[in-house]
Amino acid sequence: MIKFLTSINDSLWLGATLKLYGLFMIIWGLLSYWDLMPFYQVKLFKINSITPTISLFPGQKIRLNFDSHQAITRGDISSADWQLLQDNKVLFEEKGLEPTIPLPTTEGGIFQLKVIATLNDNRIKSGQINFYIVQDIPKQVTFSSYTEVNLTTENNTPAFLKNVQQHGAEIYAGNGEWKKVDATTASKNNVTVKLKANVPISSFNNEMLIRAQGSAKDLSNYGTAKVPYNYNKPVN
């Protein structure tokens, strides 16, 4: 009789343990789904799935956009704020629902892109992804005389052209150094910058990276232009 009762108690204890374990796993899974677990999370992946990664080059244009897990339209969103971070440090910022920006020069590495969208009813939605910026070796070129380069809306945003018109321009010379260049306005959608003679200019994929003087963290301050064909033999 005692053995029978002991067996029943053991079964009840085992059943209770399994139920508690199952409840614990359900709670853990739910907290993981909502990213509320502080250290470890449970995520579900297909067995045959792989995770793609993206590598981008400095000066390359990218368009920022986002999808919502809930059904909302662009008309429901009043504003969107973007941040480009590395090691949780904010490097650059931008505003707009679908801004197109060139990536500034960096030392390369893994970066985080964060977005915070504010809806018309003041609700907040946010998200984040990681991607790589590859620090490719730029080609440095020089010009034997002053060279004019047109910046138009074909390659740059109106916000960038307006910033250059108001604050002047700088061009990336390499090694984290920016050189001031003269800028003149031909029209609202056309700005000309003049490159000084014999000053090395860094180019990525035959494009020069230019920024408006002012806040270096504002991605709308950055633009690109094709390298003119009359450059001298590359420095390196």
Side-chain angles (χ1 to χ4, degrees):
M1 184 66 179
I2 295 176
K3 290 183 178 181
F4 177 73
L5 292 175
T6 302
S7 178
I8 292 177
N9 289 334
D10 290 343
S11 298
L12 292 174
W13 180 85
L14 180 60
T17 301
L18 291 175
K19 289 181 180 179
L20 288 174
Y21 178 77
L23 180 61
F24 172 76
M25 292 303 296
I26 291 174
I27 294 175
W28 189 359
L30 290 174
L31 292 177
S32 295
Y33 178 81
W34 294 106
D35 290 331
L36 297 177
M37 289 297 295
F39 301 109
Y40 297 95
Q41 297 181 342
V42 176
K43 297 293 184 182
L44 298 179
F45 298 95
K46 292 179 62 177
I47 294 177
N48 63 341
S49 68
I50 56 176
T51 302
T53 60
I54 301 174
S55 295
L56 303 171
F57 292 94
Q60 183 174 347
K61 292 184 179 67
I62 61 173
R63 172 163 291 181
L64 307 181
N65 207 333
F66 59 87
D67 291 321
S68 173
H69 299 294
Q70 293 179 328
I72 60 174
T73 66
R74 284 296 186 259
D76 297 326
I77 304 171
S78 62
S79 65
D81 297 288
W82 302 83
Q83 290 183 335
L84 185 64
L85 307 92
Q86 187 176 38
D87 298 327
N88 293 319
K89 179 182 178 181
V90 178
L91 302 179
F92 303 98
E93 298 175 321
E94 178 61 294
K95 294 181 180 293
L97 297 186
E98 297 181 27
T100 299
I101 53 95
L103 291 175
T105 54
T106 68
E107 295 302 321
I110 300 177
F111 291 78
Q112 301 85 43
L113 179 65
K114 288 185 177 181
V115 59
I116 298 177
T118 303
L119 305 187
N120 294 329
D121 58 8
N122 292 325
R123 286 184 297 156
I124 300 295
K125 291 183 175 295
S126 61
Q128 172 181 324
I129 61 169
N130 296 339
F131 64 90
Y132 291 85
I133 294 181
V134 181
Q135 180 59 46
D136 195 19
I137 298 176
K139 179 173 70 175
Q140 287 193 304
V141 297
T142 60
F143 300 88
S144 57
S145 60
Y146 271 92
T147 300
E148 294 186 350
V149 179
N150 289 327
L151 307 178
T152 67
T153 52
E154 294 180 2
N155 295 322
N156 300 284
T157 64
F160 168 70
L161 295 180
K162 183 177 180 180
N163 289 339
V164 172
Q165 292 171 2
Q166 293 179 344
H167 306 291
E170 296 175 320
I171 191 165
Y172 186 65
N175 298 319
E177 185 178 2
W178 292 82
K179 296 285 188 180
K180 183 178 178 180
V181 293
D182 295 330
T184 58
T185 301
S187 66
K188 180 179 179 181
N189 297 324
N190 191 314
V191 180
T192 299
V193 296
K194 294 183 178 181
L195 309 180
K196 294 181 179 180
N198 302 317
V199 175
I201 300 299
S202 291
S203 65
F204 299 89
N205 194 27
N206 203 37
E207 287 192 328
M208 302 176 294
L209 188 60
I210 301 172
R211 75 180 182 189
Q213 290 183 277
S215 175
K217 284 189 174 183
D218 189 350
L219 284 173
S220 63
N221 273 356
Y222 291 80
T224 60
K226 289 290 185 182
V227 176
Y229 292 109
N230 61 326
Y231 62 82
N232 296 327
K233 185 178 179 180
V235 176
N236 59 355

